[in-house]
Amino acid sequence: GENVEQHPSTLSVQEGDSAVIKCTYSDSASNYFPWYKQELGKRPQLIIDIRSNVGEKKDQRIAVTLNKTAKHFSLHITETQPEDSAVYFCAASPRGSNYKLTFGKGTLLTVNP
Amino acid sequence: SQTIHQWPATLVQPVGSPLSLECTVEGTSNPNLYWYRQAAGRGLQLLFYSVGIGQISSEVPQNLSASRPQDRQFILSSKKLLLSDSGFYLCAWRSQLNSPLHFGNGTRLTVT
């Protein structure tokens, strides 16, 4: 089955700096890659997603890049703010599994004022 | 628009007691439904998913079970809770393949 590795597990940045979280996946048939943000005690919420026919997608300060050849995708947050502090999860949707998303183990991002 | 309701928000139950968590989705038909569990400070563990009424797939063998009695209703149950069942339980739905997964607000279960 699909295996998603996420790095780093914790990331601390100064306000205004950029943050990058990287994920690799094992199933070359995976074709959908969402990113979720989970604030403490709350549900994970989708912040951005990308499909395998696209190499990059951007939404204001957030961008995701996908390298299908290397089987990795990354989340980029620019001009970080304290409210960006949360746990971020990547996921991959293997075409073969039909219905499941496989999640990475999460990255705890702390933005220091 | 679609909404997902999950209840209760918090629950404290003694070891050996039964469990029933309910989740309903509004504004869509024939959704794929999921139950996840999240231990404190940990990742998202898929417990069950359902692609239709009465169709349940189990990902992790344990003392939990799931049922889908109606198209937009998903129930997580246990006959006898264990201490290790404590955690944050999240119901989720998606409309089709390669579409976003939407989570409910979760139930924080503490087994004492």
Side-chain angles (χ1 to χ4, degrees):
Chain A
E2 175 66 280
N3 182 46
V4 177
E5 298 282 343
Q6 182 171 348
H7 299 281
S9 57
T10 61
L11 179 60
S12 182
V13 300
Q14 289 299 121
E15 182 176 359
D17 288 350
S18 295
V20 181
I21 302 170
K22 298 181 179 180
C23 288
T24 60
Y25 61 97
S26 60
D27 189 343
S28 58
S30 287
N31 55 5
Y32 176 64
F33 308 92
W35 285 89
Y36 288 83
K37 175 184 180 182
Q38 186 179 28
E39 296 177 354
L40 187 63
K42 297 190 176 180
R43 61 180 172 178
Q45 292 195 294
L46 179 76
I47 55 172
I48 195 167
D49 58 7
I50 192 168
R51 290 173 173 76
S52 59
N53 58 343
V54 175
E56 183 174 358
K57 185 176 178 180
K58 189 172 182 179
D59 182 4
Q60 299 182 339
R61 296 187 297 108
I62 294 173
V64 56
T65 58
L66 172 65
N67 184 327
K68 289 176 58 181
T69 302
K71 291 189 285 187
H72 68 70
F73 55 112
S74 300
L75 178 71
H76 305 254
I77 306 174
T78 59
E79 301 172 25
T80 55
Q81 302 166 3
E83 51 265 40
D84 293 329
S85 297
V87 178
Y88 291 80
F89 291 97
C90 64
S93 186
R95 190 180 301 161
S97 78
N98 294 327
Y99 303 105
K100 297 187 291 186
L101 277 179
T102 300
F103 284 87
K105 293 187 176 181
T107 296
L108 175 60
L109 172 65
T110 302
V111 181
N112 301 301
Chain B
S1 63
Q2 302 90 357
T3 56
I4 179 169
H5 303 278
Q6 186 180 344
W7 66 94
T10 60
L11 191 59
V12 180
Q13 291 284 101
V15 168
S17 64
L19 173 74
S20 180
L21 302 180
E22 191 164 341
C23 171
T24 59
V25 180
E26 296 178 358
T28 187
S29 59
N30 196 30
N32 296 327
L33 299 172
Y34 305 81
W35 279 110
Y36 284 86
R37 177 170 62 195
Q38 189 174 34
R42 308 291 289 275
L44 296 158
Q45 179 188 31
L46 178 62
L47 302 176
F48 301 95
Y49 68 96
S50 172
V51 302
I53 296 174
Q55 301 179 60
I56 309 294
S57 297
S58 174
E59 288 294 296
V60 183
Q62 54 204 332
N63 68 320
L64 299 172
S65 62
S67 62
R68 185 170 177 174
Q70 300 181 42
D71 181 44
R72 291 169 290 174
Q73 183 184 29
F74 205 24
I75 298 172
L76 182 70
S77 304
S78 174
K79 292 182 179 178
K80 290 185 177 182
L81 285 169
L82 306 172
L83 285 174
S84 57
D85 290 324
S86 294
F88 191 41
Y89 287 81
L90 290 154
C91 181
W93 73 276
R94 67 195 303 202
S95 60
Q96 59 185 332
L97 301 181
N98 295 344
S99 65
L101 192 66
H102 303 279
F103 289 92
N105 286 328
T107 295
R108 189 161 302 282
L109 171 67
T110 303
V111 182
T112 59

